[in-house]
C-alpha cells in the first residue's frame, strides 16, 4: 500500500493536535459565548477557548485531508449504528434480553496461518451462522491468511446470508491448477511500471498464481456497502510498520496499521487517510495528486507476507515523529511479525469491545498470540484479562479457553487443533496443514473445515454464556 505526503508537515499536524488535546483534557471546562461559529467569541486571555476552536478546526475537514484523531471514522460509526438492530435481533433469538443502548460489541479475531487460516476462518464463520451466533458479532478482524478469507467474503454485500454458497466456491477454486501464467505475468509487469514497485507486488503475483487462484481487481473502498449496511460485521485488516517494529518491538502501539473500507492509518498516534485514496500522494496533510486505489490483489500480498510494502514519504532527517522515521520509506508488512492476531486493533477503547472470540490458526504454540497480547496490554496499560502461561499446555491444548476479570473484556481463545477435535492426532494435523502447505485438495479442505467448525459447535453454549454475561453486566467480576 503506497501513498505519499510530506513527512515533516504531515506529522506537524499530529504533534499539534496531540498538544492541543493534552491541554484540552487538562482544562476543567471551555469558556465560550454564542451558539454558532459566526457568533462564537473568545474572551481575552482564555487559552481554553483557543484550544476548543483549534480542535473544531481540525475536525472540520473533507476526505482529502489526513484525519488526525483517535476516534473511529464516521463511516465506522454509521456501520455500528446500522448493525445494532441485527445484533439485537440475534440476541433475542438466542433468548438474551438486551436494551438497544446496552448492545454489546463482540469481535471475532482470525489469526494468520496462510491458506490454513483462510479455510479455517471460512469454516468458523459458516458454523457460527449455523449455530445462530454470527449475527451477534459487531467486528471481524484478521491478520495474514484470515484477511484472504475476509476480502473474499466482502465482495458480496450480503455474504453472511450466503456463506454456504461461498464455502462451495472456495472449495471449488483452491484445488484448481495454477492460474494462467501469462495473465499473471502481465499483471506483474503492469505493477512493475509503478514507481513504488516492491517485493509485495512479487509476492501478490505468487499468491494469485499458486495459492488463491484468483486476481481480485476490486478495491477495499468498494466493500463499503457490504461493511456499512448492517448486514455483516464491520471488517478490520491489520498490518505493522516494519522499521517501527524492529526499533521498538511489537509492544509499541505506533507499530500497528489498520485498513477498513472507510479509512486506513495508524490508530496509535491517530492519523488516517480515506481508503479510496490509497496510492495517492499527500503533502502538507492534504491530497496533492490522486492516483488509482491499490486493489485487493495487491493488499492480499501486503496483508499476507513479511515482504515489505514501500511507502515513499518526503522525509525530514531531523524528524522525531513517533510514527515516521527519518527515512523516506515506510514499510508495511504482515502483522504476524508482531502478534499473529490483531488484538491491538479491537482493543482500541473507542471500539468498546466487551467480548473477543479469538480463533487461532497459527503454526507452533497456539497460545503465543494471547501471551504476546497480555504483554502488549501490560506495557500500554490496556485492560486485558490475566494470563497464566503455566496453565496453558501448547502440546495438548483444549478447544476453548476463557479469560475474564473485572473491568476487562472477556476473551475466548480457540486453538485450531486440540484434544477435542483431533484427540491423539494434534501433531499429525499440525504437520499436515502446516503454513508451508500450499496445495489443498478437496478432501484437505473438507477435513480442515470440519475441524474448524467443531470448535464452534462444541462451544456454542459457552459462547452464549459469555454474551449473556457482558449483556447483564459490564463492570462486575465475571
Amino acid at each position: 500500500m503506497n501513498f505519499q505526503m510530506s513527512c515533516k508537515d504531515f506529522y506537524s499536524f499530529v504533534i499539534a493536535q496531540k498538544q492541543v488535546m493534552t491541554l484540552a483534557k487538562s482544562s476543567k471546562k471551555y469558556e465560550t459565548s454564542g451558539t454558532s461559529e459566526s457568533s462564537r467569541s473568545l474572551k481575552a486571555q482564555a487559552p481554553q477557548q483557543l484550544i476548543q476552536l483549534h480542535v473544531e478546526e481540525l475536525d472540520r475537514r473533507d476526505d482529502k485531508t489526513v484525519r488526525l484523531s483517535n476516534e473511529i471514522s464516521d463511516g465506522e460509526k454509521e456501520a455500528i449504528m446500522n448493525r445494532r438492530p441485527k445484533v439485537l435481533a440475534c440476541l433475542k433469538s438466542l433468548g438474551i434480553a438486551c436494551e438497544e443502548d446496552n448492545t454489546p460489541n463482540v469481535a471475532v479475531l482470525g489469526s494468520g496461518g496462510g491458506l490454513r487460516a483462510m479455510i479455517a476462518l471460512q469454516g468458523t464463520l459458516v458454523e457460527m451462522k449455523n449455530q445462530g451466533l454470527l449475527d451477534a458479532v459487531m467486528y471481524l478482524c484478521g491478520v495474514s491468511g484470515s484477511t484472504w478469507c475476509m476480502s473474499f467474503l466482502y465482495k458480496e454485500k450480503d455474504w453472511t446470508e450466503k456463506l454456504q454458497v461461498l464455502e462451495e466456491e472456495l472449495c471449488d477454486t483452491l484445488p484448481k491448477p495454477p492460474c494462467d501464467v501469462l495473465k499473471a505475468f502481465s499483471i506483474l509487469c503492469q505493477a512493475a511500471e509503478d514507481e513504488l514497485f516492491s517485493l509485495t507486488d512479487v509476492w501478490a503475483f505468487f499468491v494469485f498464481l499458486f495459492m488463491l487462484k484468483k486476481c481480485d481487481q476490486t478495491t477495499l473502498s468498494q466493500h463499503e456497502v457490504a461493511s456499512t449496511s448492517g448486514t455483516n460485521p464491520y471488517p478490520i485488516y491489520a498490518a505493522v510498520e516494519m522499521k517501527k517494529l524492529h526499533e521498538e518491538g511489537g509492544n509499541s502501539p505506533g507499530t500497528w496499521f489498520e485498513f477498513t473500507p472507510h479509512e486506513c492509518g495508524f490508530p496509535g498516534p491517530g492519523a488516517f487517510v480515506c481508503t479510496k485514496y490509497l496510492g495517492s500522494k499527500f503533502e502538507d496533510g492534504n491530497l496533492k495528486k490522486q492516483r488509482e486505489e491499490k486493489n485487493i490483489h495487491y493488499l492480499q500480498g501486503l496483508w499476507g507476507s513479511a515482504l515489505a510494502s514501500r511507502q515513499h514519504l518526503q522525509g525530514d532527517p531531523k524528524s522525531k515523529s513517533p510514527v515516521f522515521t527519518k527515512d523516506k520509506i515506510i514499510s508495511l508488512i504482515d502483522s504476524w511479525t508482531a502478534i499473529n492476531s490483531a488484538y491491538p486493533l479491537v482493543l482500541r477503547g473507542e471500539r468498546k469491545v466487551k467480548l473477543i472470540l479469538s480463533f487461532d490458526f497459527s503454526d507452533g504454540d497456539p497460545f503465543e498470540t494471547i501471551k504476546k497480547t497480555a504483554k502488549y496490554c501490560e506495557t500500554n496499560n490496556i485492560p486485558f484479562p490475566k494470563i497464566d502461561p503455566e496453565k496453558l499446555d501448547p502440546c495438548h491444548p483444549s478447544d476453548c479457553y476463557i479469560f475474564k476479570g473485572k473491568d476487562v473484556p472477556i476473551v475466548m481463545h480457540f486453538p485450531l487443533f486440540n484434544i477435542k477435535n483431533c484427540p491423539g492426532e494434534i501433531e499429525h494435523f499440525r504437520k499436515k496443514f502446516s503454513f508451508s502447505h500450499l496445495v489443498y485438495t478437496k478432501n484437505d479442505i473438507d477435513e480442515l473445515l470440519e475441524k474448524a467448525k467443531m470448535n464452534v459447535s462444541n462451544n456454542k453454549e459457552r459462547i452464549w454464556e459469555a454474551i449473556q454475561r457482558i449483556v447483564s453486566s459490564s463492570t462486575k467480576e465475571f
Side-chain angles (χ1 to χ4, degrees), residues 8-287:
K8 176 181 178 181
D9 293 323
F10 171 86
Y11 219 80
S12 69
F13 278 84
V14 178
I15 294 173
Q17 189 204 33
K18 295 303 177 185
Q19 293 173 337
V20 168
M21 295 307 295
T22 300
L23 288 172
K25 289 179 180 178
S26 67
S27 301
K28 294 183 179 179
K29 63 180 179 178
Y30 298 122
E31 298 179 9
T32 59
S33 61
T35 58
S36 67
E37 285 298 320
S38 59
S39 64
R40 189 182 302 278
S41 63
L42 300 176
K43 296 180 180 179
Q45 307 299 320
Q48 295 93 340
Q49 298 168 353
L50 295 175
I51 291 169
Q52 184 185 38
L53 183 60
H54 192 171
V55 173
E56 290 174 350
E57 291 295 331
L58 284 169
D59 287 340
R60 289 199 303 274
R61 66 172 199 90
D62 58 31
D63 63 3
K64 295 182 180 180
T65 64
V66 176
R67 185 174 75 90
L68 302 173
S69 173
N70 292 112
E71 288 296 315
I72 59 177
S73 70
D74 289 341
E76 182 174 338
K77 291 176 183 177
E78 179 185 358
I80 298 308
M81 180 180 66
N82 292 340
R83 180 69 174 167
R84 280 176 182 159
K86 190 86 169 181
V87 173
L88 288 171
C90 177
L91 297 183
K92 184 178 180 180
S93 71
L94 293 172
I96 299 175
C98 181
E99 299 295 331
E100 183 176 359
D101 59 1
N102 195 37
T103 307
N105 284 1
V106 178
V108 165
L109 294 186
S111 79
L115 282 175
R116 179 186 61 240
M118 180 184 188
I119 297 167
L121 181 59
Q122 176 73 30
T124 297
L125 297 174
V126 168
E127 191 60 24
M128 288 192 71
K129 183 68 175 181
N130 292 341
Q131 298 294 340
L133 297 168
L134 184 57
D135 288 338
V137 176
M138 189 68 75
Y139 288 104
L140 177 57
C141 188
V143 166
S144 195
S146 285
T147 66
W148 297 347
C149 175
M150 290 170 58
S151 55
F152 165 71
L153 294 175
Y154 279 89
K155 290 189 298 182
E156 301 289 337
K157 63 181 181 181
D158 55 350
W159 65 262
T160 54
E161 304 303 322
K162 54 179 65 172
L163 269 169
Q164 193 60 53
V165 173
L166 292 170
E167 179 182 295
E168 293 170 3
E169 180 181 339
L170 190 72
C171 292
D172 179 64
T173 301
L174 293 183
K176 289 181 177 179
C179 293
D180 186 331
V181 176
L182 292 179
K183 179 181 178 181
F185 187 69
S186 174
I187 293 173
L188 181 61
C189 289
Q190 291 176 8
E193 295 176 2
D194 193 304
E195 63 178 305
L196 302 179
F197 179 75
S198 72
L199 287 175
T200 301
D201 295 278
V202 178
W203 175 245
F205 161 79
F206 177 81
V207 169
F208 160 48
L209 183 63
F210 295 104
M211 300 173 73
L212 303 187
K213 314 296 174 62
K214 284 189 176 182
C215 182
D216 190 342
Q217 298 287 351
T218 64
T219 62
L220 186 55
S221 65
Q222 289 175 339
H223 295 181
E224 183 175 335
V225 173
S227 307
T228 310
S229 66
T231 303
N232 312 307
Y234 192 74
I236 308 168
Y237 304 81
V240 294
E241 207 288 315
M242 184 176 67
K243 294 182 179 66
K244 190 75 171 177
L245 176 65
H246 290 169
E247 290 172 0
E248 300 187 13
N251 289 331
S252 169
T255 296
W256 287 83
F257 192 97
E258 69 178 38
F259 300 77
T260 74
H262 295 99
E263 287 187 338
C264 302
F266 291 96
F272 301 89
V273 296
C274 186
T275 299
K276 65 184 177 183
Y277 296 125
L278 285 177
S280 296
K281 182 177 181 179
F282 283 76
E283 197 168 282
D284 300 335
N286 299 297
L287 180 67

Side-chain angles (χ1 to χ4, degrees), residues 348-462:
R348 288 179 58 187
E350 301 80 13
R351 293 199 162 117
K352 302 177 182 179
V353 171
K354 299 300 183 182
L355 172 61
I356 298 174
L357 305 179
S358 167
F359 293 92
D360 195 283
F361 315 125
S362 306
D363 261 344
D365 184 353
F367 303 110
E368 180 179 308
T369 55
I370 199 164
K371 288 186 287 190
K372 282 188 173 182
T373 301
K375 181 63 176 177
Y376 174 91
C377 291
E378 180 183 3
T379 301
N380 296 289
N381 297 315
I382 298 172
F384 196 74
K386 181 177 176 58
I387 307 298
D388 185 357
E390 297 298 322
K391 296 181 179 180
L392 306 176
D393 183 356
C395 296
H396 304 91
S398 189
D399 58 345
C400 177
Y401 295 80
I402 302 177
F403 305 96
K404 54 194 176 183
K406 185 177 181 180
D407 298 329
V408 298
I410 296 177
V411 178
M412 300 185 71
H413 188 72
F414 305 85
L416 176 56
F417 302 124
N418 52 72
I419 59 176
K420 298 295 181 67
N421 64 6
C422 48
E425 297 184 295
I426 294 176
E427 194 59 30
H428 164 73
F429 280 98
R430 286 178 177 175
K431 291 179 178 179
K432 179 175 181 178
F433 297 108
S434 69
F435 179 77
S436 59
H437 189 76
L438 304 181
V439 179
Y440 278 75
T441 66
K442 176 65 166 56
N443 288 338
D444 288 339
I445 296 173
D446 288 342
E447 189 172 28
L448 187 54
L449 286 171
E450 179 188 13
K451 300 302 181 186
K453 291 177 181 180
M454 289 178 67
N455 288 336
V456 176
S457 60
N458 289 344
N459 292 286
K460 175 186 176 181
E461 293 300 322
R462 302 180 80 182

